[in-house]
Amino acid sequence: QVQLVESGGGLVQAGGSLRLSCGASGRTFTYHTMAWFRQSPGKEREFVARISMGGGSTTYADSVKGRFTISRDNAKNTMTLQINSLKPADTAVYYCAAKPGNTRASRAEEYDYWGQGTQVTVSS
């Protein structure tokens, strides 16, 4: 069982930056692939980025490549998402998610554990 809590969202102007964090409870954080998803009103939850158990492999959605950076610190049971060059289209609730083992999963229904989400709002 992994419990996840996101933080770091807020209101920012276009072109600005935010750093989202996801804290995890439990001793098994290291054994989970971690991911970020986001969801805007009226839209399905979409994949943003994924990081392998050891942190050596990362994958990004095309829409965020070059602007977002996912990382994790297994010693601290935390994952972060550095978001740069924010656009109004990035406005959404951002969720962290976990799935046991190394996986290439990018669909929300494939992930087992979820945080409550943190709101990111980008003004133009």
Side-chain angles (χ1 to χ4, degrees):
Q1 187 82 11
V2 176
Q3 293 183 328
L4 305 172
V5 179
E6 302 95 336
S7 62
L11 173 63
V12 64
Q13 289 188 332
S17 298
L18 280 175
R19 187 175 180 86
L20 306 184
S21 295
C22 175
S25 64
R27 300 179 180 179
T28 62
F29 175 77
T30 302
Y31 304 107
H32 288 74
T33 293
M34 300 298 297
W36 287 96
F37 287 78
R38 65 186 182 186
Q39 188 167 20
S40 303
K43 295 185 178 181
E44 293 186 354
R45 194 167 295 189
E46 67 169 343
F47 171 78
V48 173
R50 179 179 68 240
I51 188 165
S52 62
M53 293 192 301
S57 176
T58 58
T59 304
Y60 297 91
D62 289 343
S63 59
V64 307
K65 281 181 181 177
R67 299 188 299 121
F68 289 21
T69 302
I70 189 172
S71 61
R72 67 190 294 168
D73 185 338
N74 287 340
K76 296 182 179 180
N77 278 16
T78 59
M79 175 179 66
T80 61
L81 185 69
Q82 178 67 41
I83 308 175
N84 298 326
S85 302
L86 276 159
K87 306 175 182 179
D90 295 319
T91 295
V93 177
Y94 284 71
Y95 297 91
C96 65
K99 181 176 177 62
N102 268 330
T103 177
R104 296 183 177 182
S106 59
R107 295 181 298 152
E109 56 266 34
E110 296 178 283
Y111 283 78
D112 299 278
Y113 305 105
W114 292 87
Q116 82 290 349
T118 185
Q119 176 71 47
V120 172
T121 303
V122 184
S123 63
S124 57

